[in-house]
C-alpha cells in the first residue's frame, strides 16, 4: 500500500507552490524530519507539558503585545492606562485577565513539566544539558512573573515589588548593587518601572526564545527518553510518530489550558487596588501566589535577623537550585523507573508537600496580620 | 501474547476514571466557559472543589445534586444545571472509549457492547451513594482535626510559639490527618469502580489478536468512519459556540469587586476664567444691589420710625 | 561481525545470487536487522541478519540455499522509510554502512493513511478553533479609539463686534478641551474664520438651501439658516489641513489664501485656484442677541471631494 495518497491529475495552485518551494529548499524532507520523530512507547499525555508551555508563552506574547497598545509604563499614567484597559476598552478586561491568569498557568505547567522530567528520569545521561537549559528557562519564567507584577502600579504591585527587591538585597557582596540596579535608584520609582518594563517586554522574551530554541534542539538531538518501563515488543508496537499523534495530544492539552485560562479570567477578572503610594496604609504587601511559600518561610523565627533572612531568602533557595543543577551529575544511576528510585520519589513528594504547606500557611496567615 | 498478571481493582478503577475524566474535560470546559460568558453560572468561594466535581463526573453526576441538597453551596445559576445535564452524554461516550481501550490493551478481552453506558450508570449510582458519605466523613474529620490542633496550641506550653510556626505546624497536623483519611477513602472508592470494571470483564470474551494488532485496533478505534462528516460537524459546532461566545462576552469587566472600585474620572466642566470673573462680578453686583435695597429699606424705616417716634416713641430694631 | 556494505555481493550456500541493495535498521536498538538482496533483475528479498553467516569486505555469505531465498515473499518497499524522512538521533554512530539506502521500518500504527489524515485534519481544526474565540474580541479591542463619537457641544468663541466690515474674513481663536483615553484633560488652540456676509455672498455659500448638520446616526444636530448673515469656516484648509489666511491677492482681490499649497478661496469659500478638492467647510454657528458667537467644533477629512466629518 502506497503511504502517499494518489495525486489527482491536475495539481492545485497550492500544490504547485509547495512543489516550487520544495524543489529549491527540500521542504518535504525538512517537514518529514521535523514531524516524523518516532516516539518510543507511543505518544503520551504526560509528554504534553513542554508544548503546552510553548503555547502559553505565545499566548502571553500575543496578549502582552495587545496590552501594549494602551498601557504606558510611566508612573503618572501606568495605573490610569491599566484602568482604561479594564473599564473602557472593549474586552480589555478579558485580555488583561487572560494575560494575568496565563502567567499563573505558566508557572503551574512549569512545575508539571519539571516534575514529569524528574519523575521519568529524563535528566540523566545523555540529557544533562537539556535539564540545565530547562532550569535557566524556569528562572526566566519566574522573572517574567516578578517583573510583570509591578506594571499596573497599584498598591499590590508596588509593595510586592518593594519587598521582593529588598529580599534580593540580602545577597552578600552583590545584593546592594543588584537591588539598586533593578530599582534604578535607592527607592522604587519611575526608574524601577522603566527597568522592569524593558526586562519584561524585551530582555526576557528574547532570552526565553533563544533558550527555548536551544532546549528544543538539544531535545531533538538526544531523542525522547520514552517511558521508563515496558518490553521492547510493547514499545515497538505502540511507537508512533510525533506528528500526528503527539501533536494531537499537545493540541488538546493546549485547548484545555486555553479554556481553563479563559474560565479563570471570567471567575476572577483582574481588579486593581488603589494607585501606588509611598505609604502602604492598611495594605499588607504580598507577592504572587507562586512566591508565597518563600514569603511564608521568611516569617519563621529561625530566619529572623540579618543572617536569618539571608539564610532563608538567598542561601536556602540558592542551595536548592544548585542541587537541582547538579542533579544529573550526582545521580548517575541509569535506572529511570521512578518506583525503583525511592530517594527521588520521596524527595519529590517532600518538596511538593512543603511548598504546598507553606503556600496554604501564607494564606491562613493573612487573618493574623492585623 | 504477553502473559499479564490480572490487574487489581484499584489499578482498573484508576485507569478508567483518570482517563475518562480527562477525555471529557475539554469538551465540558468549552461549555462551562460559554455559560460563564453568558452569565448563567456564578460560582461561590469553593469554586475549585465545585467546579472540578461537576466536571469530574461520571461519578459525581448524581452525587453533586445530593451534596448541594445537603447544604454545600457550590454556586448558582441555570448554567450549572445545564452543564450537568450536558455532562451525561459526554461521560457515556468517554467511558465507552476508555473502557474499550482498557479491555483491548490491558485485559486482552473483547469489549462488550454498550460497555460505556453500563459502566457509566453503575459508576454514577456508586458515586451518588459513596461520595456524600465520603464528603461527610472528610468534613467531620477535618473539622475535628482543626479543632483539636487549635486546642493543642491553646495549651500553656505553646504560648510562646510564634504565629507563623504555629500556623504551619497546625496545618501539617490537621492537613496530614485530613489528607490521609481522604486518600484512604478515595482509594476505596476507586477500587469500587474497579470492581465494576472487573465484573464487566468477567463476562467478556478473550480477544484473539496479538499485541500489535490489539494496539492497532484501539488506536484505529479513534478514527471515525466518516472523517469528513465528523470534522465538518466539529468545525461547525466550534464556529457556532465561538459566535455565541462573542455575542455573550461582556465588553466591560463583569462583577467588579466592591472593595476597590476605580476612581470615576468625572469630566470637570472646563474652567473658563472670564466666566468665573463675570459670575463673580454679577454676584457682587447682585449683592451690592441687595445691600443698597436693605439700606434703602432701613432708611425708610428710620424715616418711618422718626415719624412714629414723634407720635409713639417706639424703637423698632431694624432687622440686619 | 562487521556490518554489511551496500553493493557487496551476496552468496547463498550454493551460488552467488545478487547484491545488497538496502539495509534495514531497528529504530530502537539501532542495529541492522535485515539486508535487502537484489537478485539481478529478479526482484528483491528481505533477509534477516540471523541468516548471514559471515561478512567480508565485499561479500556477504548466507546460510541458506538460493531456492529458500527465492521462496521468501518479495520485499515490500512501502513498509519502510529512509533515514532522511525520519528523526532517529545518533543513528550514524552505530550504522557504518556506506551511503545508499538505509531504511527504517514504518511504525505499525502509522501505516494507516486514514488515521494519519484524520489526526492531521483534526489538529488543523482544533488549532483553528483555538484562535477563533479571541479573534473578534481582539479586533474590537484594537479598534476602540478609532471611531470615537462626535462631541456636538457649543463653544463660545467671541463676539461679532470684532467684525467691522462685511465680506471680510475675521479670525477667531478659541480653546477646546480634549480628553484622550486615560490622559488628563488638555486644551488645544484652534481657530475659525467668521464672515459677515452680504446677501450675494450668502447666496453663494448656501445656494438657496439651509445647511443641515447631522450626527453619526443621521439625526440633525443643527441647521444653519440661509438668511443668517454670519458664516463660520473651519480653520483647516480642505486640501491637506493647513491653516489658511485672509489676504489681498494681486489679481483676485481679497481672498482666503492657504500658504501650504496655494489654494485660493473667495469670501464665500468657493475654490478660485489651487489643489483644494472642495470649498471651505462651513460650521454650525449661532449668534446671540448680544452678539456672542457660538460654534460647534467639527473637523473634516482633508483631500476628499465630499465632505466627511471626522471630529
Amino acid at each position: 500500500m502506497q503511504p502517499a495518497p494518489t495525486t489527482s491529475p491536475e495539481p492545485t495552485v497550492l500544490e504547485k507552490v509547495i512543489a516550487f518551494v520544495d524543489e529549491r529548499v527540500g521542504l518535504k524532507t525538512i517537514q518529514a524530519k521535523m514531524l516524523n520523530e518516532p516516539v518510543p512507547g507511543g505518544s503520551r499525555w504526560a509528554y504534553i507539558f513542554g508544548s503546552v508551555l510553548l503555547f502559553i508563552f505565545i499566548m502571553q506574547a500575543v496578549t502582552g503585545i495587545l496590552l501594549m497598545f494602551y498601557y504606558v509604563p510611566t508612573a503618572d499614567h501606568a495605573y490610569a492606562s491599566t484602568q482604561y484597559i479594564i473599564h473602557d476598552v472593549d474586552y480589555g478586561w478579558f485580555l488583561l485577565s487572560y494575560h494575568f491568569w496565563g502567567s499563573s498557568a505558566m508557572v503551574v505547567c512549569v512545575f508539571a513539566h519539571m516534575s514529569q522530567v524528574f519523575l521519568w528520569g529524563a535528566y540523566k545521561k545523555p540529557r544533562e544539558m537539556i535539564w540545565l537549559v530547562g532550569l535557566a528557562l524556569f528562572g526566566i519564567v519566574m522573572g517574567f512573573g516578578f517583573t510583570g507584577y509591578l506594571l499596573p502600579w497599584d498598591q499590590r504591585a508596588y509593595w510586592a515589588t518593594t519587598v521582593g527587591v529588598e529580599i534580593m538585597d540580602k545577597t552578600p557582596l552583590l545584593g546592594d548593587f543588584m537591588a539598586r540596579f533593578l530599582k534604578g535608584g535607592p527607592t522604587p520609582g519611575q526608574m524601577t518601572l522603566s527597568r522592569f518594563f524593558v526586562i519584561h517586554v524585551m530582555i526576557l522574551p528574547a532570552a526565553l526564545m533563544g533558550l527555548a530554541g536551544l532546549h528544543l534542539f538539544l531535545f531533538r538531538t538526544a531523542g525522547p527518553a520514552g517511558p521508563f518501563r515496558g518490553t521492547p515488543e510493547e514499545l515497538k508496537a505502540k511507537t508512533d510518530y510525533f506528528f500526528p499523534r503527539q501533536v494531537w495530544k499537545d493540541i488538546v492539552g493546549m485547548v484545555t489550558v486555553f479554556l481553563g485560562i479563559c474560565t479563570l479570567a471570567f471567575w476572577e477578572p483582574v481588579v486593581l487596588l488603589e494607585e501606588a503610594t509611598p505609604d502602604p496604609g492598611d495594605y499588607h504587601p504580598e507577592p504572587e501566589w507562586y512566591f508565597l511559600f518563600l514569603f511564608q518561610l521568611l516569617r519563621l523565627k529561625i530566619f529572623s535577623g540579618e543572617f536569618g533572612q539571608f539564610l532563608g531568602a538567598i542561601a536556602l533557595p540558592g542551595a536548592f537550585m544548585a542541587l537541582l543543577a547538579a542533579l544529573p551529575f550526582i545521580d548517575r544511576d541509569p535506572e529511570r523507573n521512578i518506583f525503583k528510585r525511592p530517594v527521588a520519589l520521596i524527595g519529590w513528594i517532600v518538596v511538593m508537600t512543603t511548598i504546598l504547606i507553606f503556600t496554604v500557611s501564607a494564606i491562613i496567615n493573612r487573618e493574623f496580620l492585623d | 501474547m504477553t502473559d499479564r498478571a490480572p490487574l487489581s481493582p484499584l489499578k482498573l478503577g484508576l485507569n478508567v476514571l483518570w482517563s475518562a475524566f480527562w477525555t471529557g474535560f475539554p469538551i465540558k470546559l468549552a461549555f462551562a466557559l460559554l455559560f460563564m460568558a453568558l452569565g448563567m453560572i456564578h460560582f461561590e468561594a469553593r469554586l475549585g472543589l465545585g467546579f472540578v466535581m461537576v466536571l469530574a463526573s461520571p461519578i459525581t453526576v448524581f452525587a453533586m445534586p445530593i451534596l448541594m441538597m445537603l447544604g454545600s453551596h457550590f454556586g448558582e445559576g441555570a448554567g450549572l444545571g445545564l452543564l450537568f445535564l450536558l455532562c451525561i452524554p459526554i461521560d457515556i461516550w468517554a467511558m465507552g472509549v476508555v473502557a474499550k481501550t482498557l479491555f483491548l490493551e490491558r485485559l486482552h478481552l473483547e469489549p462488550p457492547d454498550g460497555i460505556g453506558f453500563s459502566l457509566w450508570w453503575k459508576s454514577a449510582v456508586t458515586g451518588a451513594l459513596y461520595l456524600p458519605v465520603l464528603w461527610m466523613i472528610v468534613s467531620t474529620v477535618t473539622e475535628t482535626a482543626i479543632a483539636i490542633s487549635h486546642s493543642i496550641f491553646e495549651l500553656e506550653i505553646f504560648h510562646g510559639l510564634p504565629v507563623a510556626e504555629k500556623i504551619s505546624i497546625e496545618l501539617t497536623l490537621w492537613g496530614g490527618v485530613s489528607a490521609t483519611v481522604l486518600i484512604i477513602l478515595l482509594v476505596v472508592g476507586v477500587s469500587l469502580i474497579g470492581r465494576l470494571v472487573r465484573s464487566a470483564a468477567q463476562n467478556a470474551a478473550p480477544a484473539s489478536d496479538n499485541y500489535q494488532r490489539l494496539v492497532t485496533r484501539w488506536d484505529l478505534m479513534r478514527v471515525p468512519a466518516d472523517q469528513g462528516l465528523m470534522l465538518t460537524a466539529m468545525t461547525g459546532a466550534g464556529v457556532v459556540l465561538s459566535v455565541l461566545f462573542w455575542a455573550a462576552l461582556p465588553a466591560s469587566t463583569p462583577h467588579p469587586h466592591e472593595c476597590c472600585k476605580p476612581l470615576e474620572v468625572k469630566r470637570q466642566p472646563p474652567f473658563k476664567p472670564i466666566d468665573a470673573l463675570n459670575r463673580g462680578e454679577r454676584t457682587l453686583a447682585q449683592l451690592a444691589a441687595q445691600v443698597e435695597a436693605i439700606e434703602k429699606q432701613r432708611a425708610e424705616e428710620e424715616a418711618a420710625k422718626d415719624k412714629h417716634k414723634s407720635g409713639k416713641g417706639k424703637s423698632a430694631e431694624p432687622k440686619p | 561481525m562487521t556490518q554489511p556494505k551496500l553493493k557487496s555481493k551476496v552468496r547463498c550456500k550454493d551460488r552467488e545470487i545478487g547484491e545488497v541493495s538496502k539495509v534495514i535498521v531497528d529504530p530502537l536498538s539501532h542495529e541492522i536487522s535485515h539486508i535487502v538482496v537484489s537478485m539481478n533483475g529478479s526482484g528483491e528479498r528481505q533477509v534477516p541478519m540471523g541468516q548471514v553467516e559471515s561478512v567480508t569486505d565485499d561479500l556477504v555469505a548466507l546460510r541458506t540455499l538460493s531456492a529458500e531465498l527465492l521462496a521468501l515473499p518479495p520485499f515490500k518497499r512501502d513498509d519502510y522509510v529512509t533515514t532522511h524522512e525520519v528523526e532517529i538521533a545518533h543513528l550514524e554512530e552505530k550504522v557504518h554502512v556506506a551511503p545508499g539506502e538505509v531504511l527504517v521500518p514504518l511504525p505499525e500504527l502509522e501505516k494507516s493513511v486514514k488515521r494519519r489524515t484524520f489526526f492531521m485534519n483534526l489538529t488543523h481544526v482544533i488549532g483553528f478553533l483555538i484562535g477563533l474565540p479571541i479573534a473578534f474580541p481582539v479586533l474590537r479591542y484594537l479598534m476602540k479609539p478609532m471611531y470615537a463619537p462626535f462631541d456636538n457641544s457649543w463653544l463660545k468663541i467671541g463676539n461679532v463686534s470684532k467684525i467691522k466690515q462685511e465680506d471680510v474674513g475675521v479670525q477667531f481663536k478659541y480653546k477646546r478641551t480634549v480628553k484622550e483615553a486615560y490622559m488628563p484633560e488638555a486644551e488645544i488652540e484652534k481657530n475659525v474664520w467668521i464672515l459677515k456676509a452680504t446677501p450675494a455672498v450668502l447666496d453663494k455659500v448656501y445656494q438657496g438651501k439651509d445647511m443641515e448638520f447631522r450626527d453619526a446616526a443621521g439625526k440633525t444636530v443643527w441647521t444653519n439658516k440661509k438668511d443668517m448673515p454670519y458664516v463660520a469656516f473651519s480653520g483647516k484648509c480642505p486640501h491637506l489641513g493647513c491653516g489658511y489666511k485672509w489676504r489681498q491677492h494681486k489679481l483676485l482681490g481679497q481672498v482666503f489664501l492657504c500658504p501650504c499649497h496655494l489654494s485660493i478661496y473667495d469670501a464665500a469659500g468657493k475654490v478660485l485656484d489651487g489643489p483644494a478638492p472642495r470649498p471651505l467647510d462651513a460650521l454650525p454657528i449661532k449668534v446671540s442677541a448680544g452678539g456672542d458667537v457660538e460654534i460647534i467644533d467639527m473637523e473634516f477629512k482633508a483631500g476628499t471631494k465630499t465632505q466627511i466629518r471626522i471630529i
Side-chain angles (χ1 to χ4, degrees):
Chain A
M1 240 341 120
Q2 272 273 37
T6 48
T7 44
S8 44
E10 181 58 37
T12 65
V13 174
L14 184 62
E15 279 166 12
K16 280 194 201 155
V17 171
I18 293 177
F20 176 88
V21 179
D22 180 44
E23 206 184 321
R24 288 147 185 73
V25 164
L27 196 67
K28 292 213 171 102
T29 317
I30 293 178
Q31 188 189 46
K33 224 176 164 66
M34 285 208 316
L35 298 178
N36 295 347
E37 178 194 30
V39 184
S43 51
R44 285 277 177 98
W45 291 102
Y47 306 154
I48 61 171
F49 292 107
S51 303
V52 166
L53 277 167
L54 200 60
F55 168 73
I56 298 178
F57 172 66
I58 292 172
M59 285 305 300
Q60 290 300 92
V62 166
T63 47
I65 290 172
L66 289 169
L67 288 171
M68 280 201 283
F69 268 86
Y70 296 106
Y71 171 78
V72 263
T74 56
D76 46 355
H77 292 314
Y79 185 77
S81 56
T82 313
Q83 290 286 37
Y84 182 70
I85 291 173
I86 293 176
H87 294 272
D88 289 304
V89 183
D90 294 345
Y91 311 118
W93 69 273
F94 183 66
L95 290 171
L96 179 60
S97 303
Y98 187 98
H99 194 80
F100 173 73
W101 285 109
S103 72
S104 289
M106 198 153 193
V107 173
V108 168
C109 286
V110 153
F111 270 93
H113 183 59
M114 282 172 70
S115 296
Q116 188 262 314
V117 169
F118 178 79
L119 293 172
W120 258 253
Y123 56 86
K124 303 193 187 211
K125 178 173 170 178
R127 297 180 174 83
E128 301 93 326
M129 290 206 293
I130 312 177
W131 174 257
L132 289 173
V133 173
L135 283 178
L137 285 167
F138 169 72
I140 291 180
V141 169
M142 292 294 147
F144 265 117
F146 184 62
T147 49
Y149 211 61
L150 177 66
L151 302 182
W153 204 248
D154 67 346
Q155 284 286 60
R156 174 171 40 222
Y158 183 87
W159 288 102
T161 307
T162 307
V163 171
V165 177
E166 287 308 310
I167 288 177
M168 253 185 261
D169 203 337
K170 306 272 180 297
T171 314
L173 299 174
L174 295 173
D176 184 56
F177 180 83
M178 273 179 7
R180 280 177 189 261
F181 181 85
L182 282 173
K183 278 187 283 191
T187 48
Q190 173 59 51
M191 291 293 102
T192 321
L193 188 55
S194 295
R195 286 172 185 231
F196 272 51
F197 184 70
V198 159
I199 293 172
H200 188 80
V201 155
M202 275 274 133
I203 299 178
L204 289 180
L208 189 107
M209 287 192 278
L211 284 176
L214 182 62
H215 194 71
L216 268 171
F217 167 72
L218 290 172
F219 165 71
R220 278 306 198 106
T221 313
F228 48 74
R229 56 183 169 192
T231 65
E233 191 214 292
E234 286 170 10
L235 291 182
K236 193 152 146 215
K238 297 215 286 201
T239 297
D240 57 6
Y241 281 159
F242 176 62
F243 180 89
R245 266 314 208 88
Q246 185 64 51
V247 172
W248 148 251
K249 287 184 175 141
D250 290 345
I251 293 239
V252 172
M254 292 177 200
V255 167
T256 311
V257 164
F258 175 73
L259 291 174
I261 298 175
C262 288
T263 310
L264 284 167
F266 266 98
W267 171 54
E268 275 276 349
V270 169
V271 171
L272 299 186
L273 301 182
E274 307 87 50
E275 187 164 3
T277 55
D279 170 24
D282 285 333
Y283 176 67
H284 298 290
E286 225 181 51
E288 311 95 285
W289 66 265
Y290 38 90
F291 287 124
L292 278 179
F293 72 96
L294 206 59
F295 185 62
Q296 184 65 13
L297 209 64
L298 292 174
R299 284 191 172 131
L300 297 178
K301 280 292 178 290
I302 47 170
F303 296 127
S304 57
E306 194 181 331
F307 180 69
Q309 289 282 283
F310 159 71
L311 201 64
I314 310 291
L316 214 63
F320 182 67
M321 292 308 292
L323 177 67
L324 283 184
L327 195 62
F329 306 102
I330 304 175
D331 181 7
R332 293 195 185 266
D333 180 5
E335 175 64 68
R336 286 202 300 127
N337 189 338
I338 187 62
F339 299 111
K340 295 196 179 131
R341 294 155 56 209
V343 174
L345 185 59
I346 294 178
W348 182 81
I349 293 176
V350 165
V351 167
M352 289 293 142
T353 318
T354 312
I355 293 178
L356 183 65
I357 288 182
F358 277 103
T359 307
V360 178
S361 300
I363 297 173
I364 296 177
N365 207 342
R366 284 179 190 159
E367 276 128 50
F368 290 82
L369 291 175
D370 294 313
Chain B
M1 202 197 310
T2 45
D3 232 342
R4 304 174 140 278
L7 287 173
S8 68
L10 178 63
K11 284 205 182 129
L12 284 171
L14 208 55
N15 188 304
V16 167
L17 285 177
W18 178 254
S19 307
F21 169 66
W22 286 108
T23 308
F25 189 67
I27 307 173
K28 295 174 194 169
L29 198 52
F31 283 104
L33 181 63
L34 182 63
F35 294 155
M36 284 184 103
L38 288 165
M40 286 165 73
I41 302 185
H42 296 285
F43 280 111
E44 303 285 308
R46 284 153 84 162
L47 165 93
L49 210 50
F51 203 50
V52 173
M53 286 202 78
V54 171
L55 302 179
S57 42
I59 49 174
T60 57
V61 128
F62 296 141
M64 259 274 299
I66 297 179
L67 282 170
M68 282 182 83
M69 282 195 287
L70 290 173
S72 309
H73 197 61
F74 296 126
E76 53 199 31
L80 209 57
L82 201 59
L83 186 61
F84 166 83
L85 280 173
L86 274 171
C87 284
I88 297 180
I90 296 174
D91 284 322
I92 297 177
W93 166 77
M95 285 292 249
V97 169
V98 165
K100 285 189 194 140
T101 310
L102 179 74
F103 268 61
L104 283 173
E105 177 176 343
R106 299 289 214 101
L107 304 177
H108 299 252
L109 298 169
E110 289 293 327
D113 288 329
I115 180 108
F117 180 71
S118 76
L119 255 185
W120 173 80
W121 73 258
K122 285 182 192 155
S123 310
V125 168
T126 314
L129 296 169
Y130 187 73
L131 274 173
V133 170
L134 182 146
W135 187 269
M136 287 296 158
I137 296 179
V138 173
S139 309
T140 322
V141 165
T142 310
E143 273 158 27
T144 322
I146 293 177
I148 293 178
S149 63
H150 273 338
S151 55
I152 290 178
F153 283 93
E154 296 291 314
L155 294 175
E156 281 298 319
I157 36 169
F158 289 120
H159 263 190
L161 202 60
V163 171
E165 279 80 343
K166 196 162 76 152
I167 293 176
S168 297
I169 299 176
E170 267 188 45
L171 179 63
T172 315
L173 284 178
W174 68 256
V177 168
S178 186
T180 313
V181 170
L182 178 64
I183 290 175
I184 293 175
L185 287 176
L186 280 176
V187 164
V188 169
V190 168
S191 303
L192 283 176
I193 306 292
R195 268 172 226 280
L196 291 173
V197 176
R198 202 161 63 166
S199 66
Q202 245 130 37
N203 306 327
S208 51
D209 286 323
N210 69 14
Y211 188 65
Q212 174 70 79
R213 267 201 272 270
L214 285 173
V215 168
T216 313
R217 266 182 75 185
W218 67 249
D219 188 80
L220 286 180
M221 206 171 67
R222 284 140 169 73
V223 179
D226 190 338
Q227 289 182 30
L229 178 67
M230 191 264 190
L231 289 173
T232 320
M234 191 179 216
T235 315
V239 170
V240 167
L241 288 176
S242 295
V243 171
L244 283 172
F245 179 69
W246 294 344
L249 189 63
S252 186
T253 176
H255 61 111
H257 297 186
E258 276 78 26
C259 80
C260 316
K261 271 205 163 60
L263 306 146
E264 261 301 317
V265 182
K266 282 199 174 52
R267 278 211 64 180
Q268 294 285 2
F271 179 68
K272 296 191 177 115
I274 309 276
D275 280 353
L277 279 173
N278 287 345
R279 260 184 273 124
E281 269 182 62
R282 268 184 266 132
T283 320
L284 281 172
Q286 281 177 339
L287 287 172
Q290 277 186 341
V291 168
E292 258 188 71
I294 290 168
E295 292 198 335
K296 235 181 168 181
Q297 210 190 18
R298 232 198 255 190
E300 283 170 357
E301 282 173 357
E302 288 277 277
K305 233 179 25 185
D306 285 336
K307 274 203 204 132
H308 280 279
K309 234 185 180 169
S310 52
K312 284 177 182 170
K314 229 197 242 177
S315 60
E317 281 282 5
K319 284 206 172 59
Chain C
M1 194 167 21
T2 41
Q3 290 180 350
K5 284 216 312 247
L6 290 166
K7 300 263 193 269
S8 18
K9 303 239 178 295
V10 178
R11 169 180 288 166
C12 293
K13 272 263 185 281
D14 47 348
R15 62 180 174 90
E16 232 182 65
I17 186 132
E19 60 177 28
V20 178
S21 62
K22 302 176 180 52
V23 158
I24 296 177
V25 170
D26 182 294
L28 280 183
S29 67
H30 296 185
E31 301 282 347
I32 296 183
S33 61
H34 302 73
I35 52 170
V36 176
V37 182
S38 159
M39 295 175 304
N40 302 326
S42 330
E44 291 177 314
R45 296 288 185 273
Q46 181 178 339
V47 178
M49 283 304 281
Q51 306 236 356
V52 170
E53 193 176 314
S54 68
V55 176
T56 50
D57 215 22
D58 55 0
L59 182 69
V60 174
L62 301 176
R63 285 184 233 275
T64 57
L65 299 166
S66 56
E68 289 170 24
L69 196 65
L70 286 165
L72 287 172
F75 169 61
K76 285 197 283 191
R77 172 66 180 84
D78 297 326
D79 276 354
Y80 295 89
V81 286
T82 69
T83 48
H84 292 302
E85 294 161 306
V86 112
E87 177 76 29
I88 298 190
H90 303 292
L91 186 61
E92 310 74 43
E93 288 162 24
K94 287 201 101 176
V95 176
H96 303 298
V97 184
E101 276 216 350
V102 178
L103 300 178
V104 173
L106 192 59
E108 194 63 38
L109 293 177
E110 292 293 335
K111 286 188 183 164
S112 162
V113 177
K114 265 183 69 170
R115 171 192 186 272
R116 201 170 166 78
T117 46
F118 171 67
F119 280 106
M120 185 175 73
N121 291 330
L122 188 57
T123 305
H124 288 148
V125 165
I126 302 264
F128 168 70
L129 290 178
I130 288 181
L132 195 63
I134 52 171
F136 172 73
V138 165
L139 210 60
R140 282 277 296 269
Y141 174 85
L142 290 172
M143 282 169 54
K144 169 76 186 178
M146 284 165 62
Y147 298 99
F150 299 137
D151 176 11
N152 292 321
S153 51
W154 289 96
L155 299 171
K156 265 216 195 87
I157 57 168
N159 195 290
V160 290
S161 51
K162 216 166 104 167
I163 305 177
K164 308 289 184 218
Q165 281 180 288
E166 287 194 328
D167 290 349
V168 164
V170 178
Q171 193 179 52
F172 280 64
K173 290 206 168 84
Y174 62 98
K175 288 204 202 330
R176 185 196 168 139
T177 43
V178 282
K179 175 143 179 52
E180 193 181 356
Y182 47 80
M183 298 294 289
E185 273 191 356
E187 270 195 339
I188 50 175
E189 290 186 0
K190 302 188 82 168
N191 69 79
V192 283
W193 288 92
I194 303 202
L195 199 69
K196 184 168 183 192
T198 52
V201 169
L202 207 58
D203 204 38
K204 269 174 83 178
V205 175
Y206 287 104
Q207 300 187 325
K209 288 190 296 184
D210 291 338
M211 199 178 282
E212 267 188 2
F213 293 91
R214 294 176 197 279
D215 66 6
K219 206 172 70 144
T220 308
V221 172
W222 176 254
T223 311
N224 275 349
K225 291 275 184 251
K226 62 181 190 287
D227 49 9
M228 215 272 276
Y230 292 100
V231 180
F233 291 121
S234 157
K236 288 187 188 279
C237 175
H239 174 232
L240 286 174
C242 283
Y244 54 88
K245 313 261 183 263
W246 177 258
R247 288 281 178 273
Q248 178 72 24
H249 188 266
K250 280 197 301 222
L251 301 167
L252 300 164
Q254 295 231 294
V255 290
F256 288 109
L257 170 67
C258 184
C260 290
H261 308 97
L262 303 176
S263 297
I264 304 179
Y265 313 86
D266 65 8
K270 297 278 170 275
V271 181
L272 295 175
D273 195 18
R278 63 173 189 270
L280 292 177
D281 299 312
L283 299 177
I285 181 170
K286 61 181 182 192
V287 182
S288 70
D292 293 323
V293 184
E294 281 182 301
I295 54 154
I296 299 179
D297 183 33
M298 296 182 180
E299 275 182 43
F300 303 90
K301 209 169 165 120
T304 57
K305 191 150 164 262
T306 45
Q307 194 189 61
I308 302 167
R309 184 177 174 189
I310 54 174
I311 286 189

